[in-house]
Amino acid sequence: MNAIEIRNLTKNFGEKQALKGLNMIVPAGSIYGFIGENGSGKSTTEKLICGLLLPIGGSIKLFDRDYTDPDVRARIGVLIEAPGCFPNYSVWNNMMLQAANLSVKNPEREVRKVLEIVRMEGAASNKYKNCSLGMKQRIGIAMALLGNPALLVLDEPINGLDADGMRIMREVLVDVTRDYGCTVLISSHILGELEKIATHYGIVRQGKMIREMTAEELDAGCRTYVALKTENMNGAAALLGVRYSRVEQEENGYLRVYDAGSPEEIVTYLYQNRILVSEIGTAKIGLEEYYMDLMSEKEGR
């Protein structure tokens, strides 16, 4: 079963067409990384899924039912932009208000449970205004988890977080899918972090889905390269640039060679041209570079 199935979705804002027949499949139980540049349609799509906007055309199904079905709408948890909290209220009191708003049964037990999930049980008495950005984002996720949703929709929840905050957020999102069977749709510009947890990806550009793939398909599609250092980097770059299709200088001082046969082949070739290699190894590009290559390809660069 798919948690989300979108077909030919369109949305206009005045004369601007934000979505141009977007198609999207989010399998149940997945962490779906939703990727695209600013203005590509990510937030618009998420708001349409959540019922915060109305589409011009197309269809949205959630768990094989129309997204307007009241029963299926009750299965969605949402954090778009920032949680709506009272600054001078404690975390606990804000959570209890949200539980009352959702008519959650056994609210104290449920609030305690979701605060434990997001690692905030020790800060329940803190005033919301005194919480860090990372804590506020986790409070928002805790609120979205009230009522045991089957689908969690998150818009840029890790932006602005420090390294520890991002680590905790990763752990929380993995926990809710693994331990509670929740599907997560998450948009983010921090692709290196997204790559650590996502099981599926959707890449959107100018209101259209240009690629959907699993984490395994991403790994298979990422280009391999050889990274090396020599005593003569400029000379090595010039020689290798003649023989191989793409040679780049990394910021950390390494030379990156794509589509090379093997490290041994490069070492032999440079040695024959009187250049000694001091370090060499193979690696693959990550999600961020894959995305940048794809965008360049679409722009015809």
Side-chain angles (χ1 to χ4, degrees):
M1 179 186 291
N2 294 319
I4 302 172
E5 186 171 336
I6 293 174
R7 299 294 182 192
N8 300 316
L9 193 62
T10 58
K11 176 63 180 176
N12 293 356
F13 294 103
E15 295 183 357
K16 180 183 177 182
Q17 192 172 16
L19 296 181
K20 306 171 184 177
L22 182 134
N23 296 297
M24 183 177 183
I25 299 291
V26 178
S30 65
I31 299 178
Y32 187 101
F34 199 23
I35 305 166
E37 59 197 353
N38 289 333
S40 61
K42 302 188 305 300
S43 295
T44 298
T45 302
E46 291 185 325
K47 289 176 181 177
L48 286 163
I49 291 168
C50 300
L52 299 174
L53 295 172
L54 295 176
I56 300 297
S59 65
I60 304 172
K61 285 188 176 182
L62 304 178
F63 302 102
D64 289 337
R65 299 168 76 171
D66 188 84
Y67 82 115
T68 61
D69 186 309
D71 291 334
V72 82
R73 297 218 60 74
R75 302 177 68 189
I76 306 174
V78 181
L79 176 59
I80 292 179
E81 296 177 0
C85 293
F86 291 97
N88 289 310
Y89 280 30
S90 68
V91 172
W92 177 266
N93 286 340
N94 272 298
M95 293 296 302
M96 290 296 288
L97 283 171
Q98 179 68 352
N101 182 50
L102 297 172
S103 300
V104 172
K105 295 179 180 179
N106 301 309
E108 291 190 1
R109 184 189 68 190
E110 290 303 308
V111 167
R112 194 173 294 110
K113 182 183 82 172
V114 296
L115 287 177
E116 287 176 359
I117 291 172
V118 301
R119 284 61 161 172
M120 285 290 292
E121 65 272 25
S125 61
N126 292 12
K127 286 187 176 182
Y128 178 78
K129 68 179 181 181
N130 295 330
C131 293
S132 68
L133 175 60
M135 294 169 71
K136 288 177 179 177
Q137 292 293 80
R138 282 184 277 145
I139 292 165
I141 290 178
M143 285 186 166
L145 288 170
L146 283 170
N148 297 311
L151 171 63
L152 201 57
V153 179
L154 307 175
D155 186 28
E156 308 282 0
I158 59 178
N159 284 13
L161 302 188
D162 60 21
D164 193 51
M166 285 191 283
R167 176 189 60 80
I168 294 172
M169 189 67 74
R170 291 198 310 267
E171 293 174 356
V172 168
L173 297 180
V174 170
D175 286 353
V176 298
T177 54
R178 182 189 61 209
D179 300 336
Y180 298 92
C182 192
T183 303
V184 176
L185 169 62
I186 173 175
S187 65
S188 179
H189 290 296
I190 307 175
L191 303 189
E193 290 298 312
L194 204 56
E195 189 176 11
K196 295 174 183 177
I197 59 170
T199 61
H200 295 73
Y201 300 94
I203 301 176
V204 64
R205 182 171 186 265
Q206 297 177 357
K208 291 185 177 182
M209 184 68 71
I210 60 172
R211 188 156 300 175
E212 286 189 296
M213 57 192 169
T214 65
E216 291 77 15
E217 288 169 338
L218 170 68
D219 183 65
C222 285
R223 300 176 70 185
T224 59
Y225 63 88
V226 174
L228 61 96
K229 281 187 177 180
T230 77
E231 58 182 13
N232 181 359
M233 295 294 283
N234 290 334
L239 277 169
L240 295 169
V242 172
R243 185 162 182 169
Y244 299 102
S245 61
R246 183 174 167 190
V247 179
E248 296 176 354
Q249 183 82 45
E250 293 184 353
E251 291 181 1
N252 60 7
Y254 283 85
L255 201 62
R256 186 181 289 193
V257 185
Y258 290 89
D259 304 319
S262 67
E264 293 79 10
E265 175 186 300
I266 291 176
V267 170
T268 301
Y269 176 62
L270 290 177
Y271 178 76
Q272 290 171 345
N273 287 274
R274 303 177 182 240
I275 296 177
L276 298 178
V277 174
S278 57
E279 296 180 43
I280 195 165
T282 58
K284 276 189 174 184
I285 65 171
L287 174 61
E288 184 171 358
E289 289 177 274
Y290 179 90
Y291 170 75
M292 296 304 295
D293 282 350
L294 183 60
M295 291 301 103
S296 296
E297 175 188 315
K298 293 297 177 180
E299 291 171 7
R301 292 203 300 251

